[in-house]
Amino acid sequence: MMQSIERISELLQGARFPVFLTGAGVSTDSGIPDFRSPGTGIWEKVDPMEVATISAFREDPGRFWSFYSERMGMLSSAKPNPAHIALARLEGGGYVKGLITQNIDRLHSLAGSQLVAEVHGSIDHAECLECGSSHSYDRVTEMLAAGASIPLCDCGAALKPGVVLFGENLPGEAIREAANWAGQADVMLVAGSSLGVYPVAGLPELTRSAGGVLIIMNDSPTPYDEVSEIVSRGRVEEVLPRIAEELGV
Ligand code: ZN
């Protein structure tokens, strides 16, 4: 592992436009289970493909929120872990020009990262599908804490969490920014994602086809392992801090 830490650090040092892409594996150490790993937490009881869909929300917002408020509660207590903190430090040192994340937990922002594209949305706000207004995370959690079974907009409609539900399009602005970064990247480091979900899974290909190199840091194989410069199976919350240390940030 020492060798891959040195090589990754060297690549980042020589990079003109290093971009990072993170997935669920970066947040597991914060106690947030990856719903694609079976038998973890709330996903034991419900099938996200059934409850976390836009059609389930539209059909029965009460049922949707009876599930989602539990998820919000779990996400609310989660804190950034050493992987998030290392990425924020790397950004501060100029080693991250863009951080694309599939995570909706806002932990990158809480850790201090600023150049973040949340391509699956975030719980930091909720949206009204009727009038289009946006409501803060604090406002939504207050309504839930006060006993509301469905957080409501001022117009009376049910609010939807600002995360992308199954069956919804990805947020256009975030995905455009992510694609722009991926196309400019001379180094893309993928941390904690199996790259199984499109369109995000296509972003490393944008980097590659523009001549950039890939570094994969994930505990299981990805479709890009064979075309990557470095593949590390180390734990992201251990490896990323060691890279930050190696780079002196
Ligand atoms: Zn409204």
Side-chain angles (χ1 to χ4, degrees):
M1 185 163 97
M2 202 51 228
Q3 205 188 355
S4 68
I5 286 168
E6 281 173 15
R7 284 179 59 211
I8 293 169
S9 302
E10 275 171 21
L11 278 175
L12 290 174
Q13 235 158 1
R16 170 189 50 80
F17 200 88
V19 168
F20 287 63
L21 193 167
T22 66
V26 164
S27 289
T28 47
D29 192 47
S30 294
I32 299 172
D34 179 0
F35 67 77
R36 286 178 186 83
S37 314
T40 44
I42 56 173
W43 304 115
E44 261 177 272
K45 289 177 271 175
V46 295
D47 177 358
M49 297 297 280
E50 273 174 34
V51 293
T53 69
I54 186 64
S55 56
F57 172 79
R58 286 186 192 278
E59 273 163 32
D60 191 345
R63 184 169 177 272
F64 173 88
W65 275 104
S66 72
F67 152 75
Y68 215 87
S69 55
E70 190 185 342
R71 177 155 162 76
M72 289 273 285
M74 185 191 67
L75 294 171
S76 301
S77 55
K79 302 269 186 301
N81 68 51
H84 299 108
I85 292 163
L87 287 168
R89 283 165 52 193
L90 287 166
E91 182 181 315
Y95 296 107
V96 180
K97 299 294 185 196
L99 173 52
I100 303 161
T101 187
Q102 298 171 284
N103 299 335
I104 52 91
D105 51 36
R106 27 163 232 161
L107 293 181
H108 284 305
S109 301
L110 290 180
S113 289
Q114 294 183 15
L115 299 168
V116 184
E118 294 170 311
V119 289
H120 289 172
S122 164
I123 57 163
D124 72 352
H125 68 284
E127 305 157 353
C128 175
L129 300 182
E130 295 300 320
C131 74
S133 61
S134 181
H135 301 262
S136 72
Y137 169 83
D138 288 342
R139 174 116 189 265
V140 174
T141 50
E142 272 165 28
M143 284 190 267
L144 292 172
S149 56
I150 305 174
L152 296 177
C153 181
D154 301 328
C155 77
L159 293 176
K160 186 193 84 70
V163 306
V164 177
L165 302 179
F166 292 102
E168 274 193 301
N169 291 327
L170 301 194
E173 198 180 321
I175 197 76
R176 273 191 297 276
E177 185 162 51
N180 179 26
W181 286 342
Q184 288 185 67
D186 50 352
V187 173
M188 177 185 277
L189 191 153
V190 178
S193 173
S194 302
L195 297 171
V197 185
Y198 278 85
V200 174
L203 294 172
E205 190 52 43
L206 288 182
T207 299
R208 251 172 56 77
S209 58
V213 299
L214 302 179
I215 302 166
I216 305 283
M217 199 180 283
N218 195 51
D219 60 6
S220 60
T222 81
Y224 287 96
D225 287 3
E226 283 185 10
V227 295
S228 293
E229 191 79 9
I230 301 170
V231 176
S232 164
R233 296 280 180 247
R235 295 162 62 91
V236 290
E237 64 273 16
E238 289 169 10
V239 181
L240 288 170
R242 289 178 64 180
I243 290 167
E245 201 177 313
E246 179 82 14
L247 291 169
V249 295

mmCIF file of all heavy atoms in Angstrom, residues 191-243:
data_model
loop_
_atom_site.group_PDB
_atom_site.id
_atom_site.type_symbol
_atom_site.label_atom_id
_atom_site.label_comp_id
_atom_site.label_asym_id
_atom_site.label_seq_id
_atom_site.Cartn_x
_atom_site.Cartn_y
_atom_site.Cartn_z
ATOM 1 N N ALA A 191 -12.942 7.365 -5.696
ATOM 2 C CA ALA A 191 -12.838 6.810 -4.343
ATOM 3 C C ALA A 191 -14.192 6.300 -3.867
ATOM 4 O O ALA A 191 -15.165 7.054 -3.829
ATOM 5 C CB ALA A 191 -12.306 7.860 -3.371
ATOM 6 N N GLY A 192 -14.243 5.019 -3.521
ATOM 7 C CA GLY A 192 -15.447 4.479 -2.898
ATOM 8 C C GLY A 192 -16.654 4.383 -3.803
ATOM 9 O O GLY A 192 -17.784 4.453 -3.339
ATOM 10 N N SER A 193 -16.416 4.235 -5.099
ATOM 11 C CA SER A 193 -17.536 4.005 -6.017
ATOM 12 C C SER A 193 -17.210 2.804 -6.891
ATOM 13 O O SER A 193 -16.091 2.666 -7.369
ATOM 14 C CB SER A 193 -17.782 5.224 -6.909
ATOM 15 O OG SER A 193 -18.770 4.914 -7.890
ATOM 16 N N SER A 194 -18.208 1.955 -7.103
ATOM 17 C CA SER A 194 -18.023 0.802 -7.996
ATOM 18 C C SER A 194 -18.303 1.176 -9.442
ATOM 19 O O SER A 194 -18.213 0.331 -10.327
ATOM 20 C CB SER A 194 -18.950 -0.340 -7.583
ATOM 21 O OG SER A 194 -18.696 -0.693 -6.250
ATOM 22 N N LEU A 195 -18.670 2.443 -9.676
ATOM 23 C CA LEU A 195 -18.921 2.944 -11.034
ATOM 24 C C LEU A 195 -19.932 2.083 -11.775
ATOM 25 O O LEU A 195 -19.748 1.741 -12.939
ATOM 26 C CB LEU A 195 -17.601 3.042 -11.812
ATOM 27 C CG LEU A 195 -16.594 4.038 -11.215
ATOM 28 C CD1 LEU A 195 -15.243 3.910 -11.899
ATOM 29 C CD2 LEU A 195 -17.101 5.470 -11.319
ATOM 30 N N GLY A 196 -20.998 1.743 -11.072
ATOM 31 C CA GLY A 196 -22.014 0.887 -11.668
ATOM 32 C C GLY A 196 -23.259 1.652 -12.117
ATOM 33 O O GLY A 196 -24.135 1.070 -12.751
ATOM 34 N N VAL A 197 -23.352 2.938 -11.791
ATOM 35 C CA VAL A 197 -24.580 3.677 -12.055
ATOM 36 C C VAL A 197 -24.323 4.787 -13.073
ATOM 37 O O VAL A 197 -23.503 5.677 -12.849
ATOM 38 C CB VAL A 197 -25.137 4.309 -10.749
ATOM 39 C CG1 VAL A 197 -26.478 4.986 -11.012
ATOM 40 C CG2 VAL A 197 -25.296 3.252 -9.666
ATOM 41 N N TYR A 198 -25.014 4.721 -14.183
ATOM 42 C CA TYR A 198 -24.897 5.757 -15.207
ATOM 43 C C TYR A 198 -25.853 6.899 -14.893
ATOM 44 O O TYR A 198 -26.843 6.670 -14.233
ATOM 45 C CB TYR A 198 -25.192 5.155 -16.591
ATOM 46 C CG TYR A 198 -23.987 4.480 -17.136
ATOM 47 C CD1 TYR A 198 -23.696 3.162 -16.784
ATOM 48 C CD2 TYR A 198 -23.088 5.168 -17.950
ATOM 49 C CE1 TYR A 198 -22.548 2.540 -17.247
ATOM 50 C CE2 TYR A 198 -21.944 4.554 -18.426
ATOM 51 C CZ TYR A 198 -21.680 3.241 -18.071
ATOM 52 O OH TYR A 198 -20.541 2.646 -18.524
ATOM 53 N N PRO A 199 -25.573 8.133 -15.331
ATOM 54 C CA PRO A 199 -24.454 8.516 -16.202
ATOM 55 C C PRO A 199 -23.123 8.752 -15.499
ATOM 56 O O PRO A 199 -22.113 8.924 -16.172
ATOM 57 C CB PRO A 199 -24.948 9.827 -16.832
ATOM 58 C CG PRO A 199 -25.869 10.414 -15.830
ATOM 59 C CD PRO A 199 -26.500 9.250 -15.101
ATOM 60 N N VAL A 200 -23.111 8.726 -14.171
ATOM 61 C CA VAL A 200 -21.856 9.012 -13.459
ATOM 62 C C VAL A 200 -20.762 8.024 -13.863
ATOM 63 O O VAL A 200 -19.594 8.390 -14.008
ATOM 64 C CB VAL A 200 -22.099 8.966 -11.932
ATOM 65 C CG1 VAL A 200 -20.797 9.111 -11.169
ATOM 66 C CG2 VAL A 200 -23.060 10.082 -11.531
ATOM 67 N N ALA A 201 -21.146 6.768 -14.072
ATOM 68 C CA ALA A 201 -20.166 5.742 -14.434
ATOM 69 C C ALA A 201 -19.490 6.045 -15.767
ATOM 70 O O ALA A 201 -18.442 5.480 -16.078
ATOM 71 C CB ALA A 201 -20.849 4.376 -14.478
ATOM 72 N N GLY A 202 -20.064 6.944 -16.559
ATOM 73 C CA GLY A 202 -19.443 7.298 -17.837
ATOM 74 C C GLY A 202 -18.423 8.423 -17.717
ATOM 75 O O GLY A 202 -17.675 8.685 -18.662
ATOM 76 N N LEU A 203 -18.358 9.094 -16.563
ATOM 77 C CA LEU A 203 -17.464 10.250 -16.419
ATOM 78 C C LEU A 203 -15.978 9.878 -16.552
ATOM 79 O O LEU A 203 -15.237 10.600 -17.221
ATOM 80 C CB LEU A 203 -17.737 10.973 -15.092
ATOM 81 C CG LEU A 203 -19.118 11.645 -14.999
ATOM 82 C CD1 LEU A 203 -19.367 12.168 -13.587
ATOM 83 C CD2 LEU A 203 -19.235 12.796 -16.007
ATOM 84 N N PRO A 204 -15.535 8.757 -15.950
ATOM 85 C CA PRO A 204 -14.114 8.408 -16.132
ATOM 86 C C PRO A 204 -13.753 8.195 -17.611
ATOM 87 O O PRO A 204 -12.619 8.447 -18.011
ATOM 88 C CB PRO A 204 -13.963 7.103 -15.335
ATOM 89 C CG PRO A 204 -15.043 7.166 -14.304
ATOM 90 C CD PRO A 204 -16.198 7.845 -14.986
ATOM 91 N N GLU A 205 -14.718 7.768 -18.404
ATOM 92 C CA GLU A 205 -14.448 7.589 -19.825
ATOM 93 C C GLU A 205 -14.184 8.936 -20.493
ATOM 94 O O GLU A 205 -13.358 9.037 -21.413
ATOM 95 C CB GLU A 205 -15.613 6.846 -20.497
ATOM 96 C CG GLU A 205 -15.351 6.391 -21.920
ATOM 97 C CD GLU A 205 -14.055 5.587 -22.077
ATOM 98 O OE1 GLU A 205 -13.782 4.708 -21.215
ATOM 99 O OE2 GLU A 205 -13.311 5.845 -23.049
ATOM 100 N N LEU A 206 -14.873 9.981 -20.041
ATOM 101 C CA LEU A 206 -14.615 11.332 -20.580
ATOM 102 C C LEU A 206 -13.170 11.737 -20.312
ATOM 103 O O LEU A 206 -12.500 12.316 -21.166
ATOM 104 C CB LEU A 206 -15.554 12.357 -19.924
ATOM 105 C CG LEU A 206 -17.025 12.346 -20.300
ATOM 106 C CD1 LEU A 206 -17.750 13.469 -19.566
ATOM 107 C CD2 LEU A 206 -17.185 12.516 -21.806
ATOM 108 N N THR A 207 -12.708 11.437 -19.105
ATOM 109 C CA THR A 207 -11.322 11.759 -18.742
ATOM 110 C C THR A 207 -10.342 10.974 -19.605
ATOM 111 O O THR A 207 -9.397 11.522 -20.159
ATOM 112 C CB THR A 207 -11.088 11.435 -17.244
ATOM 113 O OG1 THR A 207 -11.970 12.245 -16.460
ATOM 114 C CG2 THR A 207 -9.655 11.704 -16.837
ATOM 115 N N ARG A 208 -10.613 9.683 -19.725
ATOM 116 C CA ARG A 208 -9.725 8.823 -20.503
ATOM 117 C C ARG A 208 -9.663 9.230 -21.974
ATOM 118 O O ARG A 208 -8.599 9.278 -22.577
ATOM 119 C CB ARG A 208 -10.230 7.376 -20.424
ATOM 120 C CG ARG A 208 -9.352 6.478 -19.582
ATOM 121 C CD ARG A 208 -10.009 5.140 -19.393
ATOM 122 N NE ARG A 208 -10.361 4.465 -20.643
ATOM 123 C CZ ARG A 208 -9.501 3.831 -21.430
ATOM 124 N NH1 ARG A 208 -8.227 3.792 -21.134
ATOM 125 N NH2 ARG A 208 -9.917 3.232 -22.529
ATOM 126 N N SER A 209 -10.823 9.530 -22.543
ATOM 127 C CA SER A 209 -10.829 9.820 -23.975
ATOM 128 C C SER A 209 -10.180 11.177 -24.253
ATOM 129 O O SER A 209 -9.772 11.450 -25.380
ATOM 130 C CB SER A 209 -12.240 9.736 -24.560
ATOM 131 O OG SER A 209 -13.091 10.630 -23.899
ATOM 132 N N ALA A 210 -10.059 12.015 -23.223
ATOM 133 C CA ALA A 210 -9.341 13.280 -23.396
ATOM 134 C C ALA A 210 -7.866 13.138 -23.015
ATOM 135 O O ALA A 210 -7.145 14.124 -22.921
ATOM 136 C CB ALA A 210 -9.999 14.374 -22.555
ATOM 137 N N GLY A 211 -7.426 11.903 -22.761
ATOM 138 C CA GLY A 211 -6.004 11.667 -22.496
ATOM 139 C C GLY A 211 -5.618 11.652 -21.028
ATOM 140 O O GLY A 211 -4.443 11.555 -20.694
ATOM 141 N N GLY A 212 -6.595 11.748 -20.125
ATOM 142 C CA GLY A 212 -6.295 11.723 -18.688
ATOM 143 C C GLY A 212 -6.122 10.303 -18.160
ATOM 144 O O GLY A 212 -6.507 9.339 -18.829
ATOM 145 N N VAL A 213 -5.525 10.199 -16.977
ATOM 146 C CA VAL A 213 -5.337 8.879 -16.373
ATOM 147 C C VAL A 213 -6.288 8.707 -15.191
ATOM 148 O O VAL A 213 -6.708 9.676 -14.553
ATOM 149 C CB VAL A 213 -3.883 8.638 -15.895
ATOM 150 C CG1 VAL A 213 -2.914 8.723 -17.067
ATOM 151 C CG2 VAL A 213 -3.498 9.602 -14.786
ATOM 152 N N LEU A 214 -6.595 7.433 -14.912
ATOM 153 C CA LEU A 214 -7.517 7.108 -13.824
ATOM 154 C C LEU A 214 -6.784 6.427 -12.679
ATOM 155 O O LEU A 214 -5.863 5.641 -12.890
ATOM 156 C CB LEU A 214 -8.612 6.154 -14.328
ATOM 157 C CG LEU A 214 -9.482 6.623 -15.496
ATOM 158 C CD1 LEU A 214 -10.490 5.535 -15.856
ATOM 159 C CD2 LEU A 214 -10.198 7.925 -15.147
ATOM 160 N N ILE A 215 -7.223 6.745 -11.469
ATOM 161 C CA ILE A 215 -6.786 6.048 -10.260
ATOM 162 C C ILE A 215 -8.063 5.548 -9.597
ATOM 163 O O ILE A 215 -8.996 6.328 -9.383
ATOM 164 C CB ILE A 215 -6.062 7.002 -9.282
ATOM 165 C CG1 ILE A 215 -4.846 7.646 -9.949
ATOM 166 C CG2 ILE A 215 -5.670 6.269 -8.008
ATOM 167 C CD1 ILE A 215 -4.281 8.836 -9.168
ATOM 168 N N ILE A 216 -8.107 4.257 -9.303
ATOM 169 C CA ILE A 216 -9.292 3.681 -8.667
ATOM 170 C C ILE A 216 -8.947 3.272 -7.249
ATOM 171 O O ILE A 216 -7.963 2.556 -7.019
ATOM 172 C CB ILE A 216 -9.802 2.429 -9.438
ATOM 173 C CG1 ILE A 216 -10.070 2.746 -10.903
ATOM 174 C CG2 ILE A 216 -11.031 1.833 -8.735
ATOM 175 C CD1 ILE A 216 -11.328 3.494 -11.194
ATOM 176 N N MET A 217 -9.758 3.728 -6.308
ATOM 177 C CA MET A 217 -9.576 3.369 -4.908
ATOM 178 C C MET A 217 -10.926 2.849 -4.430
ATOM 179 O O MET A 217 -11.818 3.620 -4.087
ATOM 180 C CB MET A 217 -9.206 4.653 -4.153
ATOM 181 C CG MET A 217 -8.556 4.471 -2.821
ATOM 182 S SD MET A 217 -8.224 6.113 -2.135
ATOM 183 C CE MET A 217 -6.781 6.584 -3.084
ATOM 184 N N ASN A 218 -11.102 1.533 -4.476
ATOM 185 C CA ASN A 218 -12.402 0.960 -4.132
ATOM 186 C C ASN A 218 -12.202 -0.460 -3.635
ATOM 187 O O ASN A 218 -11.308 -1.166 -4.110
ATOM 188 C CB ASN A 218 -13.314 0.973 -5.375
ATOM 189 C CG ASN A 218 -14.766 0.740 -5.013
ATOM 190 O OD1 ASN A 218 -15.312 1.392 -4.136
ATOM 191 N ND2 ASN A 218 -15.402 -0.225 -5.673
ATOM 192 N N ASP A 219 -13.048 -0.891 -2.696
ATOM 193 C CA ASP A 219 -12.826 -2.212 -2.098
ATOM 194 C C ASP A 219 -13.319 -3.364 -2.971
ATOM 195 O O ASP A 219 -13.086 -4.518 -2.640
ATOM 196 C CB ASP A 219 -13.430 -2.282 -0.685
ATOM 197 C CG ASP A 219 -14.927 -2.040 -0.683
ATOM 198 O OD1 ASP A 219 -15.518 -1.931 -1.777
ATOM 199 O OD2 ASP A 219 -15.508 -1.966 0.416
ATOM 200 N N SER A 220 -13.989 -3.047 -4.066
ATOM 201 C CA SER A 220 -14.405 -4.122 -4.972
ATOM 202 C C SER A 220 -14.090 -3.689 -6.411
ATOM 203 O O SER A 220 -13.871 -2.505 -6.672
ATOM 204 C CB SER A 220 -15.899 -4.414 -4.796
ATOM 205 O OG SER A 220 -16.649 -3.262 -5.091
ATOM 206 N N PRO A 221 -14.066 -4.644 -7.345
ATOM 207 C CA PRO A 221 -13.687 -4.303 -8.727
ATOM 208 C C PRO A 221 -14.650 -3.302 -9.375
ATOM 209 O O PRO A 221 -15.826 -3.237 -9.021
ATOM 210 C CB PRO A 221 -13.763 -5.651 -9.444
ATOM 211 C CG PRO A 221 -13.651 -6.683 -8.391
ATOM 212 C CD PRO A 221 -14.279 -6.090 -7.166
ATOM 213 N N THR A 222 -14.132 -2.532 -10.319
ATOM 214 C CA THR A 222 -14.956 -1.620 -11.111
ATOM 215 C C THR A 222 -14.707 -1.932 -12.586
ATOM 216 O O THR A 222 -13.701 -2.553 -12.929
ATOM 217 C CB THR A 222 -14.588 -0.141 -10.861
ATOM 218 O OG1 THR A 222 -13.435 0.183 -11.654
ATOM 219 C CG2 THR A 222 -14.297 0.141 -9.399
ATOM 220 N N PRO A 223 -15.601 -1.464 -13.466
ATOM 221 C CA PRO A 223 -15.402 -1.718 -14.892
ATOM 222 C C PRO A 223 -14.149 -1.028 -15.451
ATOM 223 O O PRO A 223 -13.730 -1.334 -16.558
ATOM 224 C CB PRO A 223 -16.657 -1.116 -15.551
ATOM 225 C CG PRO A 223 -17.638 -0.920 -14.448
ATOM 226 C CD PRO A 223 -16.862 -0.771 -13.189
ATOM 227 N N TYR A 224 -13.554 -0.111 -14.691
ATOM 228 C CA TYR A 224 -12.399 0.653 -15.189
ATOM 229 C C TYR A 224 -11.056 0.131 -14.659
ATOM 230 O O TYR A 224 -10.013 0.682 -14.997
ATOM 231 C CB TYR A 224 -12.544 2.125 -14.805
ATOM 232 C CG TYR A 224 -13.604 2.854 -15.600
ATOM 233 C CD1 TYR A 224 -14.892 3.003 -15.092
ATOM 234 C CD2 TYR A 224 -13.321 3.384 -16.854
ATOM 235 C CE1 TYR A 224 -15.867 3.678 -15.814
ATOM 236 C CE2 TYR A 224 -14.286 4.050 -17.585
ATOM 237 C CZ TYR A 224 -15.562 4.192 -17.061
ATOM 238 O OH TYR A 224 -16.531 4.856 -17.787
ATOM 239 N N ASP A 225 -11.078 -0.906 -13.811
ATOM 240 C CA ASP A 225 -9.821 -1.344 -13.181
ATOM 241 C C ASP A 225 -8.723 -1.616 -14.213
ATOM 242 O O ASP A 225 -7.579 -1.223 -14.021
ATOM 243 C CB ASP A 225 -10.058 -2.616 -12.342
ATOM 244 C CG ASP A 225 -10.815 -2.299 -11.047
ATOM 245 O OD1 ASP A 225 -11.196 -1.130 -10.845
ATOM 246 O OD2 ASP A 225 -11.029 -3.238 -10.255
ATOM 247 N N GLU A 226 -9.080 -2.281 -15.300
ATOM 248 C CA GLU A 226 -8.042 -2.708 -16.246
ATOM 249 C C GLU A 226 -7.425 -1.555 -17.016
ATOM 250 O O GLU A 226 -6.324 -1.680 -17.533
ATOM 251 C CB GLU A 226 -8.621 -3.740 -17.228
ATOM 252 C CG GLU A 226 -8.742 -5.100 -16.566
ATOM 253 C CD GLU A 226 -9.187 -6.176 -17.517
ATOM 254 O OE1 GLU A 226 -9.222 -5.919 -18.739
ATOM 255 O OE2 GLU A 226 -9.507 -7.273 -17.036
ATOM 256 N N VAL A 227 -8.145 -0.451 -17.125
ATOM 257 C CA VAL A 227 -7.609 0.679 -17.892
ATOM 258 C C VAL A 227 -7.091 1.781 -16.965
ATOM 259 O O VAL A 227 -6.806 2.892 -17.415
ATOM 260 C CB VAL A 227 -8.663 1.256 -18.871
ATOM 261 C CG1 VAL A 227 -9.012 0.228 -19.934
ATOM 262 C CG2 VAL A 227 -9.904 1.730 -18.135
ATOM 263 N N SER A 228 -6.979 1.479 -15.674
ATOM 264 C CA SER A 228 -6.532 2.495 -14.724
ATOM 265 C C SER A 228 -5.047 2.381 -14.442
ATOM 266 O O SER A 228 -4.474 1.290 -14.463
ATOM 267 C CB SER A 228 -7.326 2.379 -13.418
ATOM 268 O OG SER A 228 -8.670 2.725 -13.655
ATOM 269 N N GLU A 229 -4.450 3.532 -14.168
ATOM 270 C CA GLU A 229 -3.018 3.599 -13.875
ATOM 271 C C GLU A 229 -2.709 2.893 -12.548
ATOM 272 O O GLU A 229 -1.741 2.160 -12.432
ATOM 273 C CB GLU A 229 -2.636 5.087 -13.785
ATOM 274 C CG GLU A 229 -1.176 5.384 -13.739
ATOM 275 C CD GLU A 229 -0.522 5.314 -15.109
ATOM 276 O OE1 GLU A 229 -1.243 5.202 -16.120
ATOM 277 O OE2 GLU A 229 0.716 5.358 -15.153
ATOM 278 N N ILE A 230 -3.572 3.116 -11.564
ATOM 279 C CA ILE A 230 -3.375 2.532 -10.236
ATOM 280 C C ILE A 230 -4.731 2.059 -9.724
ATOM 281 O O ILE A 230 -5.733 2.757 -9.876
ATOM 282 C CB ILE A 230 -2.823 3.573 -9.229
ATOM 283 C CG1 ILE A 230 -1.481 4.131 -9.717
ATOM 284 C CG2 ILE A 230 -2.681 2.982 -7.830
ATOM 285 C CD1 ILE A 230 -0.989 5.329 -8.924
ATOM 286 N N VAL A 231 -4.756 0.851 -9.141
ATOM 287 C CA VAL A 231 -5.968 0.360 -8.483
ATOM 288 C C VAL A 231 -5.599 0.030 -7.043
ATOM 289 O O VAL A 231 -4.686 -0.750 -6.803
ATOM 290 C CB VAL A 231 -6.543 -0.892 -9.187
ATOM 291 C CG1 VAL A 231 -7.746 -1.425 -8.419
ATOM 292 C CG2 VAL A 231 -6.917 -0.573 -10.626
ATOM 293 N N SER A 232 -6.277 0.657 -6.094
ATOM 294 C CA SER A 232 -6.009 0.408 -4.680
ATOM 295 C C SER A 232 -7.259 -0.158 -4.030
ATOM 296 O O SER A 232 -8.352 0.363 -4.216
ATOM 297 C CB SER A 232 -5.605 1.717 -3.985
ATOM 298 O OG SER A 232 -5.703 1.565 -2.579
ATOM 299 N N ARG A 233 -7.089 -1.235 -3.269
ATOM 300 C CA ARG A 233 -8.218 -1.817 -2.532
ATOM 301 C C ARG A 233 -8.207 -1.368 -1.068
ATOM 302 O O ARG A 233 -8.975 -1.875 -0.266
ATOM 303 C CB ARG A 233 -8.162 -3.349 -2.595
ATOM 304 C CG ARG A 233 -8.327 -3.928 -3.988
ATOM 305 C CD ARG A 233 -9.777 -3.980 -4.426
ATOM 306 N NE ARG A 233 -9.877 -4.532 -5.762
ATOM 307 C CZ ARG A 233 -10.270 -3.840 -6.828
ATOM 308 N NH1 ARG A 233 -10.626 -2.579 -6.718
ATOM 309 N NH2 ARG A 233 -10.316 -4.402 -8.007
ATOM 310 N N GLY A 234 -7.312 -0.450 -0.723
ATOM 311 C CA GLY A 234 -7.227 0.020 0.666
ATOM 312 C C GLY A 234 -8.481 0.774 1.078
ATOM 313 O O GLY A 234 -9.261 1.217 0.236
ATOM 314 N N ARG A 235 -8.658 0.918 2.381
ATOM 315 C CA ARG A 235 -9.826 1.656 2.881
ATOM 316 C C ARG A 235 -9.617 3.150 2.648
ATOM 317 O O ARG A 235 -8.587 3.710 3.028
ATOM 318 C CB ARG A 235 -10.011 1.379 4.375
ATOM 319 C CG ARG A 235 -10.361 -0.072 4.679
ATOM 320 C CD ARG A 235 -10.089 -0.386 6.149
ATOM 321 N NE ARG A 235 -10.918 0.437 7.033
ATOM 322 C CZ ARG A 235 -12.123 0.074 7.478
ATOM 323 N NH1 ARG A 235 -12.632 -1.086 7.119
ATOM 324 N NH2 ARG A 235 -12.817 0.853 8.262
ATOM 325 N N VAL A 236 -10.617 3.785 2.027
ATOM 326 C CA VAL A 236 -10.461 5.202 1.652
ATOM 327 C C VAL A 236 -10.183 6.092 2.864
ATOM 328 O O VAL A 236 -9.424 7.059 2.768
ATOM 329 C CB VAL A 236 -11.688 5.734 0.869
ATOM 330 C CG1 VAL A 236 -11.758 5.109 -0.506
ATOM 331 C CG2 VAL A 236 -12.977 5.511 1.634
ATOM 332 N N GLU A 237 -10.780 5.745 4.018
ATOM 333 C CA GLU A 237 -10.588 6.598 5.200
ATOM 334 C C GLU A 237 -9.176 6.430 5.790
ATOM 335 O O GLU A 237 -8.790 7.169 6.687
ATOM 336 C CB GLU A 237 -11.679 6.333 6.254
ATOM 337 C CG GLU A 237 -11.705 4.959 6.853
ATOM 338 C CD GLU A 237 -12.532 3.949 6.033
ATOM 339 O OE1 GLU A 237 -12.845 4.226 4.859
ATOM 340 O OE2 GLU A 237 -12.863 2.888 6.594
ATOM 341 N N GLU A 238 -8.433 5.435 5.273
ATOM 342 C CA GLU A 238 -7.030 5.306 5.690
ATOM 343 C C GLU A 238 -6.089 5.830 4.607
ATOM 344 O O GLU A 238 -5.103 6.506 4.894
ATOM 345 C CB GLU A 238 -6.703 3.833 5.979
ATOM 346 C CG GLU A 238 -7.359 3.332 7.252
ATOM 347 C CD GLU A 238 -7.253 1.823 7.407
ATOM 348 O OE1 GLU A 238 -6.520 1.172 6.631
ATOM 349 O OE2 GLU A 238 -7.934 1.287 8.308
ATOM 350 N N VAL A 239 -6.405 5.499 3.351
ATOM 351 C CA VAL A 239 -5.480 5.845 2.263
ATOM 352 C C VAL A 239 -5.489 7.346 1.962
ATOM 353 O O VAL A 239 -4.435 7.964 1.808
ATOM 354 C CB VAL A 239 -5.818 5.031 0.986
ATOM 355 C CG1 VAL A 239 -4.842 5.384 -0.131
ATOM 356 C CG2 VAL A 239 -5.767 3.533 1.275
ATOM 357 N N LEU A 240 -6.681 7.955 1.900
ATOM 358 C CA LEU A 240 -6.738 9.386 1.542
ATOM 359 C C LEU A 240 -5.990 10.264 2.565
ATOM 360 O O LEU A 240 -5.226 11.152 2.165
ATOM 361 C CB LEU A 240 -8.191 9.847 1.354
ATOM 362 C CG LEU A 240 -8.873 9.330 0.072
ATOM 363 C CD1 LEU A 240 -10.367 9.623 0.088
ATOM 364 C CD2 LEU A 240 -8.222 9.941 -1.170
ATOM 365 N N PRO A 241 -6.156 10.026 3.886
ATOM 366 C CA PRO A 241 -5.358 10.820 4.831
ATOM 367 C C PRO A 241 -3.853 10.626 4.653
ATOM 368 O O PRO A 241 -3.077 11.571 4.829
ATOM 369 C CB PRO A 241 -5.816 10.305 6.207
ATOM 370 C CG PRO A 241 -7.199 9.789 5.974
ATOM 371 C CD PRO A 241 -7.159 9.202 4.586
ATOM 372 N N ARG A 242 -3.446 9.414 4.273
ATOM 373 C CA ARG A 242 -2.002 9.195 4.093
ATOM 374 C C ARG A 242 -1.480 9.925 2.864
ATOM 375 O O ARG A 242 -0.332 10.370 2.824
ATOM 376 C CB ARG A 242 -1.714 7.689 4.043
ATOM 377 C CG ARG A 242 -1.896 7.059 5.414
ATOM 378 C CD ARG A 242 -1.675 5.588 5.430
ATOM 379 N NE ARG A 242 -0.291 5.225 5.097
ATOM 380 C CZ ARG A 242 0.135 3.979 5.046
ATOM 381 N NH1 ARG A 242 -0.689 2.988 5.311
ATOM 382 N NH2 ARG A 242 1.379 3.703 4.735
ATOM 383 N N ILE A 243 -2.341 10.051 1.848
ATOM 384 C CA ILE A 243 -1.945 10.820 0.660
ATOM 385 C C ILE A 243 -1.844 12.315 1.023
ATOM 386 O O ILE A 243 -0.888 12.995 0.635
ATOM 387 C CB ILE A 243 -2.954 10.586 -0.481
ATOM 388 C CG1 ILE A 243 -2.812 9.155 -1.003
ATOM 389 C CG2 ILE A 243 -2.745 11.584 -1.626
ATOM 390 C CD1 ILE A 243 -3.933 8.712 -1.907
#
